[in-house]
């Protein structure tokens, strides 16, 4: 198993497959893909997937687990998922701390869970079941949200209680922290310090779009802005080296622009984590 | 379940709102002006996926009606598939039973057009099937012909697979057969128009019958083929090397 800690990867999109598979010098350290877009398939895209798996370490980031849902867990889906992770040599599987299904209807987007004690218990129980079933630890991501819903406790406590009680990992999405801090008007650095940072095993970085004076939408369609780079620099000072992902889902720019963002992230990692290694 | 009824209700209310755009009652502690963003983001996923799965249907009925159809589907149907591309197939079953926009009277072939588009997508994405063992050379008449397992014999009332959608209104209801298959190397899906006779022969080959006995049976049932007709059928099968993969002696 290749050590991806401190390395920077890229979210894998179909439009990027040719660039990632040709020898044009563009080669992120790993790729991340959504298993839902790649499992149970064949033909052209399965061949592409097989090539990607041969050339890159693959991390999976799911969309449809719906860990915070009031609905029952979907074991048929979990079975397919486990097979996919095993077949493609995937060691890191993460999902969103949100829900995307209610009343047995998939909604295909990430909805905010009420920050409440009963939701914590419910989700902890479900993570335990999922981790047992998949026979691996999962990492859950702090998601961006545009309004709190029926919150009784603060977000950092909600996340911390869940990952600590369920004994799972945390995927720290630094852009989401920035987006939420802006939208919900809290201090991003304070928020990060209140998270169980020893459980962070993976980081996401992305761009976003400010659509109103007081609202940012987490689009993954823009370049990363400087304040998010700064927040990343701040966050990783408090963390051991972990893999870092550049998420870019829309508006995909020229490869050199992506490469510049990857380089910028690598430099910040090197600055913070190499120093730390040297000190040990 | 650890979740209280109250929390569950709130979560379901938000889900219902995203699905339908309708708020049954205000969601506790939520900023109401922010909720439409969720509705928009959810519906965008649905519109975009259905648009890319059904481009011909969309251009036939126009964007506005197409989005109304997407809305009617998504707001009243509980999507079952965790994989978005598979969700796009669910609209077919929905549309069979619900034609709220009265599209079928305007476009009698529309259900078949959607089925054609979905078949192409579904076959393009479907999991690989193991190739049966077959010999490269053999006797076209006396060996079993091995067909591509990733193929389907389809019949339509309207020739949706070969006539441009805007020309289909000129077509009368009839019987149209085609063979769809996935080409191994490129993964592309081909739809090959075949006559009712060839369709019958292909379905007989599919059940393991040899060509000479198929011809015999046709003969006995009154369909007498002369040598030239038989040669033509063999020539057609020979020309479709991605459909007929080989022989079992
Ligand atoms: Fe993320």
């Amino acid at each position: 198993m290749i050590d991806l800690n401190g390395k920077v990867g890229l979210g894998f999109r179909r439009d990027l497959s040719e660039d990632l598979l040709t020898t044009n010098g563009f080669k992120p350290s790993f790729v991340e893909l959504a298993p839902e877009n790649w499992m149970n398939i064949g033909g052209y895209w399965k061949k592409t997937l097989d090539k990607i798996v041969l050339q890159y370490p693959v991390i999976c980031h799911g969309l449809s687990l719906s860990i915070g849902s009031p609905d029952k867990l979907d074991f048929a889906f979990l079975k397919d998922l486990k097979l996919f992770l095993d077949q493609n040599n995937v060691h890191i599987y993460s999902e969103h701390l949100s829900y995307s299904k209610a009343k047995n209807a998939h909604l295909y987007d990430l909805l905010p869970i009420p920050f409440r004690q009963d939701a914590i218990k419910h989700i902890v129980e479900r993570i335990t079941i999922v981790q047992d079933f998949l026979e691996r630890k999962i990492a859950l991501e702090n998601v961006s949200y545009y309004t709190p819903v029926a919150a009784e406790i603060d977000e950092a406590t909600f996340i911390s209680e869940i990952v600590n009680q369920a004994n799972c990992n945390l995927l720290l999405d630094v852009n989401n922290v920035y987006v939420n801090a802006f939208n919900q008007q809290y201090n991003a650095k304070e928020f990060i310090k209140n998270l169980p940072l020893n459980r962070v095993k993976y980081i996401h970085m992305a761009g976003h779009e400010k659509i109103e004076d007081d609202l940012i939408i987490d689009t993954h369609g823009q370049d990363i802005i400087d304040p998010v780079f700064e927040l990343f620099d701040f966050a990783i000072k408090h963390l051991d080296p972990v893999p870092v992902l550049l998420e870019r889902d829309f508006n995909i720019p020229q490869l050199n622009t992506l490469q510049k963002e990857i380089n910028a992230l690598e430099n910040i990692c090197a600055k913070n984590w190499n120093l730390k290694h040297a000190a040990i | 379940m650890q979740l209280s009824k109250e929390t569950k209700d709130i979560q379901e209310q938000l889900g219902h709102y995203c699905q339908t755009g309708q708020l049954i009652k205000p969601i506790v502690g939520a900023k109401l002006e922010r909720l439409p963003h969720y509705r928009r983001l959810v519906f965008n996923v649905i519109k975009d996926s259905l648009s890319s799965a059904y481009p011909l249907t969309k251009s036939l009925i126009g964007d506005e009606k197409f989005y109304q159809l997407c809305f009617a589907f998504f707001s009243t149907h509980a999507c079952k598939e965790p994989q978005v591309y598979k969700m796009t197939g669910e609209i077919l079953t929905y549309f069979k039973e619900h034609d709220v926009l009265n599209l079928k009277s305007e476009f009698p072939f529309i259900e078949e057009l959607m089925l054609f588009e979905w078949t192409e997508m579904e076959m393009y994405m479907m999991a690989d099937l193991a190739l049966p063992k077959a010999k490269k050379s053999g006797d076209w008449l006396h060996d079993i012909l091995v067909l591509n397992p990733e193929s389907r014999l389809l019949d339509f009332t309207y020739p949706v697979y070969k006539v441009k959608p805007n020309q289909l209104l000129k077509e009368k209801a009839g019987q149209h057969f085609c063979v769809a298959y996935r080409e191994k190397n490129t993964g592309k899906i081909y739809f090959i128009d075949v006559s009712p006779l060839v369709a019958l022969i292909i379905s007989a080959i599919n059940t393991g019958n040899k060509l000479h006995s198929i011809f015999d049976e046709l003969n006995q049932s009154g369909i007498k083929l002369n040598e030239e007709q038989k040669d033509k059928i063999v020539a057609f099968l020979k020309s479709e090397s991605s459909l007929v993969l080989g022989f079992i002696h």
Side-chain angles (χ1 to χ4, degrees), chain A:
Chain A
M1 189 170 132
I2 304 166
D3 181 12
L4 299 178
N5 292 330
K7 303 269 173 62
V8 178
L10 181 67
F12 179 51
R13 314 278 316 168
R14 288 186 181 162
D15 349 24
L16 284 169
S17 60
E18 279 186 30
D19 290 321
L20 286 167
L21 289 171
T22 44
T23 46
N24 55 5
F26 181 68
K27 200 159 194 293
S29 297
F30 65 91
V31 296
E32 180 205 85
L33 53 85
E36 288 82 353
N37 294 337
W38 298 90
M39 53 198 221
N40 305 322
I41 65 163
Y44 177 82
W45 288 114
K46 173 71 165 80
K47 279 188 192 161
T48 307
L49 172 69
D50 290 345
K51 287 183 210 159
I52 287 286
V53 172
L54 274 181
Q55 292 192 27
Y56 292 90
V58 171
I59 286 180
C60 275
H61 186 48
L63 297 167
S64 298
L65 177 65
S66 196
I67 198 73
S69 176
D71 288 2
K72 289 198 174 97
L73 283 166
D74 179 346
F75 284 95
F77 167 73
L78 280 170
K79 202 172 150 218
D80 288 350
L81 175 66
K82 183 170 195 284
L83 189 67
F84 183 86
L85 299 177
D86 290 344
Q87 281 175 344
N88 293 293
N89 204 19
V90 178
H91 297 283
I92 299 179
Y93 166 65
S94 61
E95 251 287 357
H96 302 87
L97 190 46
S98 67
Y99 73 108
S100 56
K101 192 177 173 222
K103 285 199 158 178
N104 286 315
H106 279 279
L107 301 160
Y108 309 103
D109 200 15
L110 309 168
L111 306 187
I113 304 165
F115 302 147
R116 294 177 154 204
Q117 284 299 342
D118 61 330
I120 292 177
K121 284 190 195 134
H122 174 65
I123 294 168
V124 166
E125 188 177 81
R126 287 159 68 91
I127 296 171
T128 311
I129 295 169
V130 170
Q131 293 192 140
D132 283 352
F133 189 92
L134 296 178
E135 297 180 290
R136 70 193 82 209
K137 264 196 189 184
I138 64 173
L140 286 177
E141 176 183 11
N142 59 300
V143 293
S144 50
Y145 60 103
Y146 310 118
T147 170
V149 175
E152 289 174 355
I153 48 180
D154 70 280
E155 184 188 352
T157 308
F158 181 75
I159 296 173
S160 307
E161 285 294 312
I162 287 175
V163 291
N164 283 330
Q165 287 182 35
N167 189 22
C168 68
N169 295 323
L170 182 59
L171 189 183
L172 177 64
D173 188 314
V174 176
N175 178 57
N176 289 352
V177 174
Y178 182 88
V179 168
N180 293 342
F182 181 89
N183 289 344
Q184 322 303 339
Q185 298 175 343
Y186 60 66
N187 183 305
K189 290 181 180 170
E190 281 304 309
F191 175 84
I192 288 176
K193 280 201 263 178
N194 286 329
L195 293 175
L197 296 178
N198 58 328
R199 291 192 178 270
V200 175
K201 296 292 179 232
Y202 187 27
I203 291 180
H204 273 179
M205 283 289 283
H208 58 242
E209 194 176 351
K210 192 169 164 186
I211 63 159
E212 288 162 22
D213 283 348
D214 61 350
L215 182 66
I216 294 177
I217 298 282
D218 173 30
T219 53
H220 299 175
Q222 317 287 324
D223 295 350
I224 301 171
I225 61 166
D226 286 342
V228 178
F229 274 121
E230 282 160 29
L231 192 59
F232 174 68
D233 185 50
F234 167 84
I236 70 171
K237 282 187 172 62
H238 299 84
L239 300 174
D240 288 332
V242 296
V244 175
L245 181 88
L246 171 63
E247 299 184 281
R248 185 72 186 240
D249 297 338
F250 299 102
N251 243 341
I252 296 182
Q254 299 282 321
L255 289 189
N256 57 358
T257 309
L258 286 176
Q259 188 65 60
K260 269 187 205 154
E261 285 200 314
I262 291 173
N263 293 346
L265 291 168
E266 279 173 347
N267 289 339
I268 300 171
C269 290
K271 185 185 83 180
N272 288 286
W273 284 333
N274 286 348
L275 283 176
K276 195 169 178 176
H277 280 162
I280 290 170

Side-chain angles (χ1 to χ4, degrees), chain A residues 36 39-43 47 64 68 99 103 106-109 116 118 125 145-148 150 211 214-215, chain B residues 2 4 6-7 11-12 28-31 34 37-38 41-42 79 81-83 87 125-126 128 184-185:
Chain A
E36 288 82 353
M39 53 198 221
N40 305 322
I41 65 163
K47 279 188 192 161
S64 298
Y99 73 108
K103 285 199 158 178
H106 279 279
L107 301 160
Y108 309 103
D109 200 15
R116 294 177 154 204
D118 61 330
E125 188 177 81
Y145 60 103
Y146 310 118
T147 170
I211 63 159
D214 61 350
L215 182 66
Chain B
Q2 306 278 2
S4 70
E6 190 198 348
T7 307
Q11 290 192 269
E12 289 179 349
V28 188
K31 296 176 187 165
R34 295 279 171 85
H37 292 293
Y38 280 104
L41 293 167
V42 165
C79 291
E81 291 288 350
Q83 298 183 260
M87 170 276 286
M125 295 299 287
M126 70 185 174
D128 296 328
K184 204 75 207 162
N185 294 323

Side-chain angles (χ1 to χ4, degrees), chain B:
Chain B
M1 177 148 86
Q2 306 278 2
L3 211 55
S4 70
K5 186 176 178 311
E6 190 198 348
T7 307
K8 180 174 183 265
D9 284 349
I10 293 167
Q11 290 192 269
E12 289 179 349
Q13 263 183 61
L14 179 59
H16 179 81
Y17 170 74
C18 290
Q19 201 185 346
T20 63
Q22 281 170 4
L23 210 52
I24 301 164
K25 54 183 179 191
I27 291 172
V28 188
K31 296 176 187 165
L32 284 187
E33 72 280 11
R34 295 279 171 85
L35 292 180
H37 292 293
Y38 280 104
R39 166 72 186 143
R40 178 175 59 81
L41 293 167
V42 165
F43 198 51
N44 278 350
V45 175
I46 304 305
K47 276 197 313 194
D48 291 351
S49 332
L50 290 169
S51 296
S52 66
Y54 301 97
L56 300 177
T57 307
K58 186 179 174 188
S59 72
L60 177 77
I61 66 175
D63 291 4
E64 200 181 321
K65 275 197 178 157
F66 187 77
Y67 295 145
Q68 283 174 12
L69 175 63
C70 297
F71 175 81
F73 158 68
F74 187 66
S75 60
T76 58
H77 165 89
C79 291
K80 295 277 169 287
E81 291 288 350
Q83 298 183 260
V84 177
Y85 93 85
K86 288 190 177 174
M87 170 276 286
T88 62
E90 292 184 42
I91 197 170
L92 276 183
T93 9
Y94 163 83
F95 192 56
K96 260 199 180 85
E97 287 154 28
H98 309 89
D99 180 18
V100 284
L101 302 173
N102 241 332
L103 292 166
K104 288 178 200 173
S105 59
E106 196 178 345
F107 307 104
F109 52 86
I110 192 168
E111 206 177 312
E112 288 198 337
L113 181 65
M114 289 176 77
L115 175 66
F116 162 62
E117 294 198 87
W118 167 245
T119 304
E120 183 173 22
M121 158 99 143
E122 200 245 327
M123 288 186 72
Y124 187 68
M125 295 299 287
M126 70 185 174
D128 296 328
L129 293 172
L131 282 184
K133 280 193 182 121
K135 296 253 181 340
K136 283 251 178 306
S137 58
D139 185 322
W140 287 86
L141 288 173
H142 296 93
D143 287 337
I144 293 173
L145 300 178
V146 178
L147 298 185
N148 184 342
E150 297 177 349
S151 68
R152 286 179 204 166
L153 185 62
L154 305 165
D155 66 301
F156 290 100
T157 310
Y158 295 92
V160 288
Y161 56 91
K162 62 175 178 178
V163 174
K164 288 205 172 92
N166 57 6
Q167 300 294 313
L168 280 166
L169 273 176
K170 295 179 194 152
E171 299 283 336
K172 290 202 178 73
Q175 224 185 355
H176 301 269
F177 293 91
C178 72
V179 184
Y181 61 81
R182 183 160 71 183
E183 206 269 325
K184 204 75 207 162
N185 294 323
T186 60
K188 281 189 184 157
I189 309 301
Y190 292 89
F191 291 84
I192 310 292
D193 190 37
V194 293
S195 66
L197 175 67
V198 172
L200 190 71
I201 291 170
I202 288 174
S203 76
I205 294 174
N206 250 332
T207 51
N209 289 300
K210 295 170 182 174
L211 209 45
H212 82 92
S213 61
I214 298 171
F215 288 153
D216 285 349
E217 273 178 41
L218 285 172
N219 198 11
Q220 281 162 27
S221 61
I223 305 172
K224 301 202 187 305
L225 300 177
N226 61 33
E227 288 312 306
E228 194 191 337
Q229 285 171 311
K230 288 180 187 173
D231 287 349
K232 265 193 179 163
I233 288 163
V234 173
F236 165 77
L237 294 171
K238 278 183 180 170
S239 70
E240 288 296 340
S241 59
S242 293
L243 174 64
V244 186
L245 301 182
F247 307 84
I248 297 175
H249 299 317

